[in-house]
């Protein structure tokens, strides 16, 4: 299952909403789709699993939606610490990561 | 608290071997699948391998098959990655991760550089 993330880069200001897309080449089994945040020099951090379930300790401005082949990560009211790279991952049929979306400060 | 600590990375020549270790604490190791994920400089995440809790099943990314071996010692709370026939394109930071609800905990990573 190949995952395509878009856009490659999103330039936004603090307080704005970010909408990130992850499209799968075939339906993701069980909607086993996760989103990770990675800041420079750090390990990835799990944000969302099962397409829409927030991981422990993740603020509610992060939300995931979608099913089948089309998934979305939405970040409401961007905070300065949210500027980072975001990856989607499917873990329903083996494993695949998307290529990432960079959310940068405008 | 859950901790994963990788070690064993370093500089190795093409064709050489390296064994990475990941010592975990804060959870019952044998209850979880574990995985290795790598990230080449300036690139995205690539899964390397994963292993079931009882070591019965393993799986590898396509470019790793036949060269890398994942294993674990549940008595020592340690995950391993044996890397043989290393190539320049294996240069990356290697992370171990716990497969709970997705990859819910990650180590800090250990860098591997393959160069002559």
């Amino acid at each position: 299952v190949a995952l395509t993330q878009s856009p490659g880069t999103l330039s936004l200001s603090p307080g704005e909403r970010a909408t990130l897309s992850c499209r799968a080449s075939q339906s993701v089994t069980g909607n086993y789709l996760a989103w990770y945040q990675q800041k420079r020099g750090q390990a990835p951090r799990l944000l969302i699993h099962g397409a829409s379930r927030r991981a422990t300790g993740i603020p509610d401005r992060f939300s995931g939606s979608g099913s089948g082949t089309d998934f979305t990560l939405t970040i409401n009211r961007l905070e300065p610490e949210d500027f980072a790279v975001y990856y989607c991952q499917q873990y329903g049929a083996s494993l695949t990561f998307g290529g990432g979306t960079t959310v940068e400060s405008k | 608290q859950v901790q994963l600590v990788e070690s064993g990375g370093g500089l190795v020549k093409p064709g050489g071997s390296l064994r990475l270790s990941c010592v975990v604490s804060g959870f019952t190791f044998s209850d979880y699948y574990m995985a290795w994920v790598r990230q080449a400089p300036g690139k995205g995440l690539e899964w390397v391998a994963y292993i079931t809790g009882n070591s019965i099943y393993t799986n590898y990314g396509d470019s790793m098959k036949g060269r890398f071996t994942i294993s674990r010692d549940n008595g020592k709370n340690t995950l391993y990655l044996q890397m043989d026939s290393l190539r320049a394109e294996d240069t990356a930071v290697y992370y171990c991760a716990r497969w709970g609800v997705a990859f819910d905990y990650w180590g800090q990573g250990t860098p591997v550089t393959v160069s002559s």
Side-chain angles (χ1 to χ4, degrees):
Chain A
V1 181
L3 298 177
T4 302
Q5 291 189 241
S6 61
T9 302
L10 208 44
S11 297
L12 296 167
S13 300
E16 292 191 298
R17 171 184 295 176
T19 304
L20 288 66
S21 172
C22 177
R23 179 162 290 176
S25 60
Q26 59 194 78
S27 186
V28 174
T29 302
N31 287 331
Y32 288 127
L33 192 288
W35 291 92
Y36 300 87
Q37 176 194 67
Q38 187 179 34
K39 297 179 182 178
R40 186 179 297 274
Q42 295 185 17
R45 176 175 72 144
L46 177 66
L47 299 175
I48 301 288
H49 62 93
S52 61
R53 296 179 171 87
R54 267 189 303 277
T56 304
I58 301 303
D60 61 8
R61 64 180 182 273
F62 291 92
S63 63
S65 62
S67 65
T69 60
D70 289 297
F71 299 87
T72 301
L73 174 69
T74 302
I75 313 171
N76 286 309
R77 303 178 307 279
L78 278 165
E79 298 283 345
E81 62 266 28
D82 299 336
F83 293 101
V85 182
Y86 293 83
Y87 294 95
C88 59
Q89 176 208 36
Q90 71 80 22
Y91 52 104
S94 191
L95 293 167
T96 317
F97 285 98
T101 291
T102 300
V103 178
E104 65 176 22
S105 181
K106 188 187 293 183
Chain B
Q1 70 280 27
V2 172
Q3 286 194 309
L4 295 79
V5 180
E6 303 96 335
S7 63
L11 175 63
V12 61
K13 289 181 168 52
S17 298
L18 213 53
R19 188 174 87 153
L20 307 183
S21 299
C22 171
V23 177
V24 313
S25 60
F27 64 98
T28 303
F29 184 53
S30 58
D31 284 349
Y32 291 87
Y33 285 32
M34 296 293 295
W36 289 97
V37 176
R38 71 183 183 182
Q39 186 169 38
K43 302 297 185 183
L45 302 173
E46 180 184 23
W47 79 277
V48 173
Y50 67 85
I51 185 168
T52 55
N54 55 13
S55 302
I56 285 179
Y57 184 75
T58 59
N59 197 10
Y60 298 88
D62 287 343
S63 60
M64 276 64 79
K65 287 177 182 172
R67 300 188 301 123
F68 291 10
T69 304
I70 189 172
S71 62
R72 63 194 296 162
D73 184 334
N74 288 344
K76 294 182 177 179
N77 283 359
T78 303
L79 176 72
Y80 301 101
L81 184 68
Q82 176 67 40
M83 303 187 294
D84 299 319
S85 303
L86 283 162
R87 308 165 180 163
E89 53 266 35
D90 295 318
T91 294
V93 174
Y94 285 73
Y95 297 99
C96 64
R98 186 181 87 166
W99 190 340
V101 286
F103 287 6
D104 52 3
Y105 288 93
W106 298 64
Q108 83 289 349
T110 187
V112 171
T113 302
V114 183
S115 174
S116 55

